[in-house]
Amino acid sequence: MQELTEPRDRLLLGPGPSNVNPRVIRAMTMPLMGYLDPTFLKVMDDVTSLLRQAFGTSNELTLAISGTGTSGMEAALVNLLEPGDSVVVGVNGLFGGRLADIATRCGASVTTVSAEWGQALDPAAVEQALADAGQVKLLAVVHVETSTGVVQPLPPLAEAAHRHGALFLVDAVTSLGGVDLRVDEWGIDACYSATQKCVGAPPGLSPITLSPRAVEAISGRSTPVQSFYLDLLHLQRYWITDRTYHHTASMPMIYALREALVMAMEEGLENRQRRHERNAAALRAGLAEFGMRPVPPEGIRASPLTAALVPEGLEEAKVRRALLNEYGIEIGGGFGPLAGKIWRIGLMGESSQASHVLTLLHALETLLAREGVELASGAAVAAAHRSLAEE
Ligand SMILES: *Cc1c(COP(=O)(O)O)cnc(C)c1O
């Protein structure tokens, strides 16, 4: 037998995956069943109804795609877009760029509206792009841009899309289960997420929901959806209507998602959002003592993900490595224009705990002092304590 590498217990405070509650892990060990077993189909029904609650929607087409968040992104675009369709994509970070990339691969004519990394999209600029593009099929944006920690205000963009006859697509990978998200009330036509960020399950499924208008757009396509596996009308037949075979569902992942969603409902979505906000505020209060400020301006800082500028001159990768090797804590570095300049600290789902914030700040204090960063001993942990004691 060759020697195998043993995975380690980690405190996952990066951009995802996040830690998973033992209840969710236990759920994954429930018995396997056939993919059309009537009992398993009922478990799937539980998942669709819990997902509707979590998304804030009554959309019939609500299900979980087998695959990670990117499979939801790919499914939304490959179903809604036909070659030659015109689409406007908001790009203010890595994932907006990925949306534009996939839309281009679908053969669509893509217009991007950019904002600086760390800023939100300007609704006036989006409106202008929609007007200039003529007949637009779709406006696609990211709710919480995990590369920058920006939360994009959605209602003005939804209104702009609808004024121009376009469908409104939202990437909610880092928002579902962590920040306020109201699919129906805000007029979102297509929305996908992932299980491993604020939802609290392992990576492997991508929840998705489509409005009747979006379903109509797919039904009215003149060409078949290029992807068989991600064909949402086929998937709807398996998950919701005819209950006919499409592909073999991953039972353990569906059990995990159901348990994670039950836990979210037990906590209450609003309480859960407040928990994410409270812990993010404590983290930011602590980071401020290291001279680290969040990249996005106040008002558009997403609670599940804090992207903060590292102290000037710090060998940031070395500190992250030490944090992982000595403390077993993962945080993320920056991408693109922010590479080497920021840390991305995720407090998502089960990982959003006050005790984790204190543990991280304590560890960082030791490591930063070792690197010669000037700081008052114990100040960051104390600031986080004060923030947690407020209200
Ligand atoms: C993580 C993430 C994705 C991609 O999800 P995967 O599960 O890595 O495929 C897409 N969009 C956003 C905003 C994300 O944070």
Side-chain angles (χ1 to χ4, degrees), residues 345-366:
I345 302 173
L347 295 172
M348 303 181 185
E350 184 71 12
S351 285
S352 175
Q353 310 283 354
S355 60
H356 295 344
V357 172
L358 300 174
T359 301
L360 172 67
L361 290 171
H362 193 80
L364 282 179
E365 195 165 276
T366 304

Side-chain angles (χ1 to χ4, degrees), residues 68-70 73 95 98 142 144 146 171 173-174 194 196-197:
T68 64
T70 307
M73 187 187 285
F95 293 104
R98 185 173 293 186
V142 176
V144 171
T146 321
D171 173 318
V173 172
T174 296
Q196 80 275 18
K197 299 196 184 182

